[in-house]
Amino acid sequence: MGEILGRLIADRYRLRRPIGSGGMGEVWEAYDEKLADRKVAVKMMLAERPSMRSSGDSEALDIRRERFLREVRTTAAIEHLGIPAVFDAGVDPVTDRLFVVMQLIAGRQLQYLIDETDHDDEPLSIARAAAIGAQVASVLFEVHRGDVVHRDIKPTNLMLTPGGIVKVLDFGVAALTGSGSGPRLTQVGETVGTPPYMSPEQAMANKVGPSADIYALACTLTEVLTGQPPFARTASKSHQWHHISTPPKPITHVRPGTPEGFESLLLAMLEKEPEDRPDAAEVYERLLRYTTWTQGAAFPANIPELDPCLAFTRPLGGSMRRSPRSRPHVIPGPPVTDLEVQEIGGRVEELLQKQHFVPAIDLLTEALGRAADPTSAHELIFKLAHTNYLAGNYTEAADLFVRAGVHASDAYGSGDLDVQLARYYLGKCREELGEVSGAIEAFRDVVGYPLDAADEDAVDRYLDALDSLLRLYAVARQADLVRGTEAELRTAILGLRPLESAEMIAELDGWLTARRADLLAEPDRPADG
């Protein structure tokens, strides 16, 4: 993989880092440099081995390529909130590898949630399992209506995303039903799927239909509720044997308190004969009634925005929390060093010169996650705040400037230059966001700090803060404060910028003339944000 890291695909997709791999391809996080560095997922078909064409593997290679193309076509053809959007596809001219560009999914694999759950003392609630199942059933309804069978529904192919939306991934082994006019992508007798979640007909390598996905969903929901799928491989018997021959146990044997209707639905979904299972529409309707079931442990507090019940209890609104934009979960690496911080600063400057804000933000965010030293953390927070400000992400920048200001004040005192800088940029962010009272408060602090007249940058910030206060007081219809700040700004211009004072005061007078009628139209009233 190292040879393609950072390479540009199709003259627009800059590969950043690998985020997954499968039997047919590897998935990269990338930047779409033609759309303001929008982050996307680029799935590339695995590279061909030089010997494949000459060793008799050409048929297998053709099947693999056709499966990859089918995934692209299948995913692109189905419009559903639970399926990642497809943006682009093509062939990488450098490696001749097929690629597809898709929506980058932020969140967490369902498998991780299952693995991290204490199923004995704090199992996931019935409502969460029902919400996951209902969402997947909704996707399957749409998929099956398009004569497609996913054939590999399992926890690693399901993602919990912000707002609690469940995304169904990886249509690489999907099959078309119906006329059968499409190319056969499996050999006769070939078993496709993942053993713990295979339907009996898949286990016997028979033809599969939509009900195979229903069976796999039941296996997945059983694992969500208990930590294990319904059938485990034993010393003498395989998963496939159990799927074909062993009756499923009622889930209440492992999860007491499961509603009778929920249990009977799971048993119906696990019927050995495909025609005896309910279809996706029925599964959805029967699960829907349990999505607000109140019994069971709360969703993990560290990922509340991924709670699958949000899609039903707070549709479209999610958790409505003020928090940084959700990003794909990244495991932190080794602690960042002082040298790395310097190198990152240089790389960020290069990116900002090209207006590549998203890669710069990601670079700083990743480094901040590895910052163990308070000094390095403060420097990275400040750089991240400023980069968000330049990118126009004023809400995130404001939160970071508050954080940077508190850190600097605690470490160096309330008069430290970094505290002043943080307050100034906080005021600029709040001004951009229309938060009048908050911006006034920050700019008042800025003009209240002792001023070093020999520091040109400090003088610029002081004058700009006064100018902002003047305009903000005008917005708030506080005429007395406008007059007082006007006088203060005139005095400051004459004393600190004598050579430029005529032009600056002329501009000030022009603005005041344009606004004076508005200022006199209403009496003073308190500022509000």
Side-chain angles (χ1 to χ4, degrees):
M1 288 187 183
E3 73 276 6
I4 64 173
L5 179 64
R7 186 150 54 75
L8 197 63
I9 304 296
D11 292 326
R12 68 183 293 180
Y13 307 110
R14 181 76 64 185
L15 302 184
R16 182 192 179 208
R17 63 184 180 91
I19 55 176
S21 62
M24 291 188 299
E26 58 200 26
V27 185
W28 290 74
E29 180 181 311
Y31 301 111
D32 181 350
E33 294 189 347
K34 288 190 178 180
L35 289 175
D37 293 311
R38 174 181 65 168
K39 287 199 289 188
V40 295
V42 176
K43 184 170 185 177
M44 302 189 70
M45 183 174 162
L46 290 176
E48 302 174 9
R49 297 190 304 274
S51 60
M52 290 190 77
R53 285 292 180 190
S54 59
S55 65
D57 286 341
S58 59
E59 183 179 358
L61 178 61
D62 289 341
I63 289 174
R64 194 174 71 175
R65 291 177 69 91
E66 184 58 34
R67 279 183 179 171
F68 189 96
L69 290 171
R70 173 164 292 179
E71 177 177 14
V72 175
R73 291 192 293 266
T74 300
T75 310
I78 301 171
E79 294 186 9
H80 192 285
L81 187 61
I83 298 178
V86 173
F87 302 136
D88 196 4
V91 179
D92 176 20
V94 177
T95 62
D96 196 36
R97 294 167 63 181
L98 298 168
F99 71 87
V100 57
V101 183
M102 307 176 74
Q103 174 188 8
L104 181 65
I105 305 298
R108 183 172 296 192
Q109 260 187 16
L110 178 59
Q111 187 67 63
Y112 292 152
L113 180 64
I114 293 171
D115 293 344
E116 294 166 2
T117 298
D118 183 345
H119 294 278
D120 292 325
D121 296 328
E122 294 185 354
L124 285 172
S125 69
I126 296 296
R128 270 77 192 203
I132 291 167
Q135 292 192 57
V136 177
S138 174
V139 172
L140 292 178
F141 172 77
E142 201 65 35
V143 168
H144 295 164
R145 195 167 65 159
D147 292 330
V148 174
V149 183
H150 187 283
R151 299 202 297 183
D152 204 16
I153 296 295
K154 58 185 178 181
T156 54
N157 279 340
L158 303 176
M159 285 279 290
L160 299 174
T161 68
I165 302 300
V166 179
K167 299 278 188 179
V168 179
L169 312 178
D170 200 350
F171 283 80
V173 296
L176 294 175
T177 61
S179 66
S181 59
R184 175 178 288 275
L185 299 185
T186 56
Q187 305 299 320
V188 175
E190 180 184 357
T191 300
V192 176
T194 304
Y197 313 96
M198 279 184 178
S199 65
E201 58 271 27
Q202 280 176 284
M204 292 186 288
N206 291 339
K207 183 178 179 180
V208 300
S211 59
D213 289 340
I214 300 301
Y215 186 96
L217 177 56
C219 294
T220 298
L221 293 180
T222 300
E223 188 171 358
V224 169
L225 289 169
T226 68
Q228 298 292 333
F231 302 111
R233 185 175 57 188
T234 58
S236 59
K237 306 294 183 183
S238 67
H239 281 108
Q240 287 91 327
W241 188 92
H242 286 293
H243 286 306
I244 295 168
S245 305
T246 304
K249 293 180 180 178
I251 197 170
T252 49
H253 289 195
V254 184
R255 181 73 185 267
T258 302
E260 181 180 348
F262 198 114
E263 179 179 71
S264 64
L265 174 61
L266 287 177
L267 290 173
M269 294 167 71
L270 290 171
E271 285 285 351
K272 302 301 183 186
E273 296 298 328
E275 60 269 22
D276 292 337
R277 299 172 204 146
D279 63 12
E282 181 181 345
V283 171
Y284 175 83
E285 293 295 340
R286 291 176 66 176
L287 285 174
L288 199 59
R289 69 192 68 170
Y290 299 108
T291 56
T292 56
W293 190 266
T294 57
Q295 296 180 12
F299 200 71
N302 63 321
I303 49 172
E305 73 279 4
L306 305 185
D307 186 344
C309 285
L310 289 174
F312 299 95
T313 59
R314 297 180 64 85
L316 302 181
S319 60
M320 288 296 190
R321 297 174 184 272
R322 283 198 58 175
S323 60
R325 294 175 186 171
S326 299
R327 303 181 185 277
H329 179 66
V330 180
I331 300 173
V336 67
T337 64
D338 291 343
L339 179 59
E340 269 190 285
V341 172
Q342 293 178 17
E343 291 174 346
I344 288 167
R347 289 162 63 191
V348 167
E349 288 300 320
E350 292 175 2
L351 290 166
L352 294 182
Q353 288 176 9
K354 300 175 183 177
Q355 294 192 325
H356 289 176
F357 299 114
V358 175
I361 290 169
D362 285 341
L363 186 61
L364 290 167
T365 301
E366 188 275 336
L368 181 58
R370 298 189 289 116
D373 176 65
T375 302
S376 296
H378 173 67
E379 183 174 348
L380 290 166
I381 291 169
F382 221 109
K383 287 182 182 295
L384 182 58
H386 193 251
T387 302
N388 272 287
Y389 173 73
L390 294 175
N393 301 332
Y394 300 117
T395 298
E396 290 189 43
D399 291 342
L400 288 163
F401 279 124
V402 169
R403 184 176 166 189
V406 169
H407 179 277
S409 180
D410 290 344
Y412 313 115
S414 59
D416 183 76
L417 177 59
D418 277 358
V419 177
Q420 299 178 35
L421 284 169
R423 294 299 291 172
Y424 171 76
Y425 282 109
L426 176 61
K428 298 297 287 184
C429 291
R430 287 176 171 170
E431 186 176 18
E432 292 285 354
L433 292 167
E435 298 175 2
V436 176
S437 296
I440 287 173
E441 179 185 3
F443 285 131
R444 277 175 174 163
D445 288 344
V446 173
V447 299
Y449 291 121
L451 177 63
D452 179 3
D455 184 339
E456 293 292 322
D457 290 336
V459 169
D460 286 342
R461 288 193 297 273
Y462 176 79
L463 293 174
D464 185 65
L466 279 174
D467 184 70
S468 292
L469 281 171
L470 180 67
R471 297 168 191 271
L472 289 164
Y473 289 142
V475 169
R477 297 289 195 272
Q478 295 192 341
D480 287 345
L481 291 173
V482 169
R483 286 189 289 270
T485 306
E486 173 196 349
E488 190 175 357
L489 180 57
R490 287 180 187 277
T491 301
I493 290 172
L494 291 169
L496 297 169
R497 289 284 188 265
L499 298 179
E500 308 164 46
S501 60
E503 181 179 349
M504 293 175 70
I505 288 180
E507 183 179 346
L508 172 61
D509 287 339
W511 180 83
L512 286 167
T513 299
R515 292 301 305 268
R516 201 170 299 279
D518 292 338
L519 290 171
L520 296 175
E522 297 181 24
D524 287 3
R525 60 182 178 85
D528 53 20

